[in-house]
Amino acid sequence: MVLKSAKPVSDELLGSFKKSYESDTAALRTQIFASNAIQKLSLDPVPAREMKFKFSNDIKTMTATNQKSSGRCWLFAATNVLREVIGKKKNIAEFELSQSYLAFWDKFERCNYFLESVIDTADLPITDRTVSFILQTRVNDGGQWDMFTNIVRKYGIVPKDAMPETFQSSNTHGLSGVISPYLLKSALALRRAADGGASEEELQAIKNKALDELFVFLTECYSLPPEKFNFEYVDKDDKYHIEKGYTPITFRDEMIGNMLDDYVSIINAPTTNKPYEKLYTVRYLGNVVGGAPVLHLNLPMDKFKEAVVSQIKDGEPVWFGSDCGKCGESTTRIWDDASVNTSRAVGLDITMSKADALDSGYSMMNHAMVLTGVNLEDDTVPTRWKVENSWGSEGVNGGYYIASDSWFDLFVYQAVVNKKYLGELAKLYETEPVELDPWDPIGSLAD
């Protein structure tokens, strides 16, 4: 297709551009950029000094975990929240729940969810945007808080030593490289069968055959999830304990009860298609067919922070979703738009409002972590946040990070809080949610 009224770059324009380069400091920057990472050049040590690893409200939590070469941040963040509850209950200093157990069931359930989505849209052309999105997304490592609770409600939880990591659970690229084409092949088979007039029973038979083979493959990669196990641990007083005969469901009921029912997702998405104080969901975003939908209550940042700070003040960590790829520096373990200023370093203004960044696709949720502290000025105004990551415990601060409050404003999109910190706003979860398109950026953490 030929662009209408398109103007090529002329020799005259190129000449003027070259003069701009010669008259600017770009020649000097060329020498610098040629042998240095832009991220390192963007670090300004002066504002970075203010990113001190000290917080007026600091929850003492366990050693940072490691999701390794997988996209299971949402599961690690969620289990990092739950393990603190179990640690207090059992007086344990260090403990992990099995992320592999939850990932196995999530992968399996999402294969079913994907194939059901294919059946649901089989009457649409394959070029339809929704169909294309479903086929392109398939089954990924990412996920959402409500997807985590769906798995826990259906399958329970187990300690890490009841279902340890395997190479495949910690390195999911190869696993995904097998599941994705198999799902696509199955999706095409379902669409062709539906187009040929197959009954619902016949479509389900095709789907269940695929699920059978996928279950076997997943079990070979993760191992068979335990049905019964003993809980062995050593408490803070060095006393050994063994509690026998748990199932994943009874372990969940004993350790956390119904606490997940009290926690909800709030978001800050200042785009025109998402008015504040309304409830949202995303079409075709989920994992367990028949499970609870993914729900988000959109709040202005002041109310968003108020709920988060209140929970931290009460000693409860907060699961949250953000864009970790912006204004961060890995050596110093900081996220701060003042300390990591790429615009100033390169001479191109790449700053955007939060709304523009979302609408344009420049920024979206791509990582879940846990807020475990906040520094408050005059006990009210946040200045920096303590972040428990899941990239291992090496480096400064033992794998914990620092985020400035201005970075929080720009790149934190979601948090999970107890409904009691929302006051009257909690009633909005009883309203009918606005359904967003499958490709809305608020669903991106699950991609």
Side-chain angles (χ1 to χ4, degrees), residues 136-210:
Q136 289 168 8
T137 305
R138 299 183 289 279
V139 171
N140 295 313
D141 281 357
Q144 265 291 342
W145 174 265
D146 287 320
M147 295 162 70
F148 165 74
T149 62
N150 279 337
I151 294 297
V152 173
R153 287 187 179 110
K154 186 169 183 178
Y155 293 104
I157 53 177
V158 304
K160 191 158 193 167
D161 57 12
M163 188 168 174
E165 292 286 302
T166 66
F167 179 86
Q168 301 301 337
S169 70
S170 298
N171 301 270
T172 55
H173 180 74
L175 173 76
S176 298
V178 172
I179 291 177
S180 286
Y182 185 86
L183 286 172
L184 288 175
K185 184 177 179 180
S186 301
L188 294 175
L190 284 167
R191 287 182 60 85
R192 287 173 184 140
D195 190 53
S199 66
E200 178 64 25
E201 185 178 53
E202 289 170 327
L203 293 176
Q204 287 297 316
I206 295 171
K207 185 200 77 169
N208 289 336
K209 181 178 183 299

Side-chain angles (χ1 to χ4, degrees), residues 100-117:
S100 185
Y101 175 81
L102 296 168
F104 173 93
W105 287 119
D106 174 68
K107 276 278 193 288
F108 175 70
E109 286 286 347
R110 282 168 80 170
C111 288
N112 183 56
Y113 194 98
F114 169 83
L115 294 172
E116 286 290 341
S117 299

